């Protein structure tokens, strides 16, 4: 066996048996449960002209710093990849002939489902951290990881604006901080006839804060009050606190409804994943049971001669086995006391049916470590026969065992005559 003959031996075509598809997929792949929601935002309570004047008290919310924006459920992220110079795309579902931008919605379990990659949980991560994780997953799946991550739609962190504004609405919080003056401007600005009678009330985490409009317009620091996710802002013009409280109650009920819908969707998704996982486990168990009973078509090579056990060595699924794999298998390898490592043969019958009886043999002497490297590169084929000759000492010992009985019995026969 030389490098040249090894190349010739490995040229024969061979495709290893593949495992059933159930061994290649996970319960997390596939379509997730769509996000649920309660529908459109309820109309804010109407604001009527004030009929009385009450003393307003400034009670501004404390300064907050929630830190950098983290991706949340409902956000839509975009993977942007550069243009390629050929039409062969390295990353299925992500690359196109020109610049590609594909959006993925963060599902209720906090993950996005990327074709050929699977579900990747990115909720609670900054854009940079999510980009690093996606980079790692693409590399693990042997895809070109050249891409950039952006947030196309901000839906997980929002502030509601209602009351005496031009256009009551929900304002999303993006990568840049959202301040009170910007939020009011996005809702069409304050719409009151007399700022002395108006105030901005902010409901945050169970507490109610109040900023009179006269103070708001007089102080730049109040205008730059930073808002955080979940804040409800209500512009009141008649000091009827019950009307503002009604608005905030609506926001609380709306939030609870959304959370309930998401919890239900997540439960459904978990149930689906468990059912899929159970199906996969059953399919794999069935395959392994069939394999143990010999009911699966599998390729083998056969070991004979001075081996630990005259047996057949199963070729692995989805990869190729080498001569070294079979020789050093603890259950089938060379018998240490009797096998001659200088006389290892691989016999392979011709694949041409017209050449019945035509056999090619390769001889390996792996007393030399250099020759042993050839065994690690020699690819086995179905129905190969590996033969190990007996070493000279064993051969002589067996000859003596056959001769010794005749030497003992010959004098006895002569004496009898």
């Amino acid at each position: 066996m030389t490098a040249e003959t090894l190349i010739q031996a490995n040229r024969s075509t061979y495709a290893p048996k593949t495992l059933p598809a159930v061994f290649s997929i996970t319960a997390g792949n596939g379509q997730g449960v769509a996000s649920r929601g309660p529908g459109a935002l309820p109309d804010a309570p109407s604001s009527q002209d004030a009929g009385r004047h009450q003393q307003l008290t400034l009670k501004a919310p404390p300064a907050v710093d929630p830190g950098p924006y983290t991706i949340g459920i409902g956000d839509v992220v975009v993977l942007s990849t550069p243009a390629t110079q050929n039409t062969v795309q390295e990353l299925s579902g992500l690359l196109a002939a020109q610049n590609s931008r594909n959006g993925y919605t963060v599902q209720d379990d906090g993950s996005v489902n990327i074709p050929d990659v699977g579900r990747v949980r990115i909720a609670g991560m900054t854009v940079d951290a999510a980009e690093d994780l996606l980079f790692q997953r693409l590399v693990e799946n042997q895809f070109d990881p050249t891409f950039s991550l952006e947030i196309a739609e901000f839906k997980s962190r929002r502030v509601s604006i209602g009351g005496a504004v031009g256009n009551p609405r929900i304002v999303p919080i993006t990568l840049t901080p959202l301040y009170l003056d910007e939020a009011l401007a996005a809702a069409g600005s304050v719409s009151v006839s007399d700022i002395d009678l108006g105030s901005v009330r902010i409901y945050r985490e169970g507490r109610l804060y109040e900023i009179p409009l006269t103070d708001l317009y007089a102080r730049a620091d109040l205008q730059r009050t930073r808002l955080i996710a979940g804040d409800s802002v209500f512009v009141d013009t008649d000091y009827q606190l019950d009307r503002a409280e009604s608005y905030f109650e609506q926001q609380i009920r709306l939030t609870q409804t959304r959370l309930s819908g998401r919890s239900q969707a997540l439960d459904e998704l978990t149930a689906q994943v468990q059912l899929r996982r159970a199906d996969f486990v059953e399919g794999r168990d069935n395959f392994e049971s069939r394999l143990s009973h010999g009911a699966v078509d599998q390729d083998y090579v056969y070991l004979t001669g001075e081996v630990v056990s005259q047996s057949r060595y199963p070729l692995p699924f989805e990869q190729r086995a080498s001569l070294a794999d079979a020789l050093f298998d603890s259950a089938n390898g060379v018998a240490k006391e009797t096998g001659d490592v200088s006389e290892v043969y691989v016999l392979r019958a011709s694949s041409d049916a017209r050449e019945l009886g035509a056999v090619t043999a390769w001889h390996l002497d792996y007393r030399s470590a250099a020759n042993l490297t050839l065994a690690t590169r020699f690819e086995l084929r179905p129905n190969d026969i590996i033969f190990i000759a007996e070493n000279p000492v064993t051969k002589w010992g067996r000859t003596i065992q056959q001769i010794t009985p005749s030497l003992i019995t010959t004098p006895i026969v002569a004496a009898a005559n």
Side-chain angles (χ1 to χ4, degrees):
M1 185 179 295
T2 64
E4 291 75 13
T5 59
L6 184 146
I7 293 175
Q8 293 176 357
N10 292 345
R11 281 178 179 171
S12 60
T13 58
Y14 169 59
K17 301 292 185 182
T18 59
L19 289 168
V22 70
F23 283 87
S24 303
I25 54 180
T26 62
N29 290 343
Q31 289 291 94
V33 178
S35 299
R36 296 175 176 269
L41 183 69
D43 294 334
S46 61
S47 177
Q48 302 177 357
D49 293 337
R52 55 179 178 172
H53 178 78
Q54 297 180 359
Q55 183 66 36
L56 297 176
T57 302
L58 174 60
K59 184 183 178 182
V64 292
D65 183 9
Y69 187 89
T70 56
I71 299 171
I73 295 172
D75 286 345
V76 178
V77 297
V78 168
L79 298 179
S80 299
T81 56
T84 57
Q85 297 181 353
N86 53 54
T87 58
V88 179
Q89 306 307 318
E90 295 86 352
L91 186 54
S92 174
L94 296 182
L95 294 183
Q98 300 297 327
N99 284 348
S100 172
R101 291 171 59 87
N102 292 279
Y104 302 93
T105 301
V106 181
Q107 299 294 323
D108 289 337
D109 61 350
S111 63
V112 292
N113 188 26
I114 301 177
D116 298 332
V117 174
R119 303 188 76 85
V120 184
R121 188 180 299 275
I122 61 174
M125 294 184 176
T126 63
V127 174
D128 291 340
E131 196 172 57
D132 291 342
L133 177 59
L134 288 171
F135 178 92
Q136 184 179 18
R137 290 294 299 275
L138 292 177
V139 171
E140 290 173 355
N141 286 272
Q142 299 180 351
F143 292 139
D144 180 3
T146 305
F147 73 97
S148 63
L149 180 68
E150 305 171 8
I151 302 179
E153 298 181 32
F154 298 84
K155 295 184 177 181
S156 64
R157 288 166 175 75
R158 299 184 291 181
V159 172
S160 60
I161 312 294
V165 292
N167 180 25
R169 58 174 299 182
I170 299 295
V171 180
I173 295 179
T174 63
L175 297 177
T176 57
L178 177 64
Y179 296 100
L180 180 58
D181 57 346
E182 297 170 350
L184 293 174
S189 298
V190 174
S191 177
V192 298
S193 57
D194 188 351
I195 64 171
D196 292 332
L197 303 179
S199 67
V200 175
R201 292 192 171 93
I202 301 174
Y203 184 82
R204 173 183 297 171
E205 298 178 349
R207 293 180 176 273
L208 185 63
Y209 303 94
E210 182 179 69
I211 303 177
L213 291 180
T214 52
D215 293 323
L216 178 66
Y217 292 143
R219 293 174 50 180
D221 61 319
L222 294 177
Q223 297 177 29
R224 302 301 289 174
T225 298
R226 185 170 181 176
L227 302 178
I228 61 175
D231 281 355
S232 292
V233 179
F234 186 88
V235 180
D236 187 13
T237 60
D238 56 9
Y239 309 111
Q240 294 184 7
L241 187 57
D242 57 342
R243 194 167 290 134
E245 289 176 344
S246 175
Y247 176 81
F248 296 136
E249 184 179 354
Q250 286 181 345
Q251 300 304 314
I252 294 173
R253 288 201 305 268
L254 180 61
T255 300
Q256 291 174 341
T257 303
R258 285 175 174 164
L259 290 176
S260 176
R262 287 177 177 172
S263 177
Q264 181 180 354
L266 187 57
D267 289 342
E268 292 178 5
L269 177 62
T270 301
Q272 289 181 12
V273 170
Q274 290 175 345
L275 290 174
R276 286 169 60 86
R277 183 178 291 115
D279 288 342
F280 296 157
V281 170
E282 182 179 8
R284 293 164 186 168
D285 290 344
N286 288 341
F287 176 82
E288 292 173 354
S289 178
R290 288 173 56 83
L291 182 64
S292 65
H293 287 83
V296 174
D297 183 19
Q298 189 172 6
D299 296 324
Y300 297 91
V301 298
Y302 300 87
L303 290 93
T304 185
E306 299 302 320
V307 293
V308 174
S309 173
Q310 306 284 330
S311 59
R312 60 182 184 178
Y313 174 76
L315 295 180
F317 290 93
E318 299 184 356
Q319 60 179 338
R320 303 188 179 192
S322 69
L323 175 58
D325 293 331
L327 290 177
F328 290 92
D329 182 82
S330 60
N332 307 307
V334 179
K336 295 181 180 179
E337 292 78 10
T338 61
D340 187 355
V341 296
S342 68
E343 298 291 335
V344 178
Y345 297 90
V346 178
L347 308 178
R348 182 176 299 170
S350 173
S351 58
D352 192 340
R354 295 170 298 180
E355 299 179 357
L356 295 176
V359 176
T360 303
W362 290 272
H363 170 227
L364 173 68
D365 178 1
Y366 75 84
R367 291 175 298 179
S368 168
N371 289 344
L372 186 57
T373 61
L374 296 174
T376 64
R377 298 184 179 182
F378 187 97
E379 296 179 359
L380 295 175
R381 296 292 184 264
N383 301 320
D384 279 355
I385 297 177
I386 302 173
F387 175 78
I388 314 296
E390 59 184 352
N391 61 43
V393 175
T394 302
K395 185 182 298 183
W396 175 250
R398 290 173 177 171
T399 302
I400 293 299
Q401 290 176 358
Q402 294 174 355
I403 295 176
T404 300
S406 63
L407 293 176
I408 295 174
T409 58
T410 298
I412 296 176
V413 173
N417 293 333

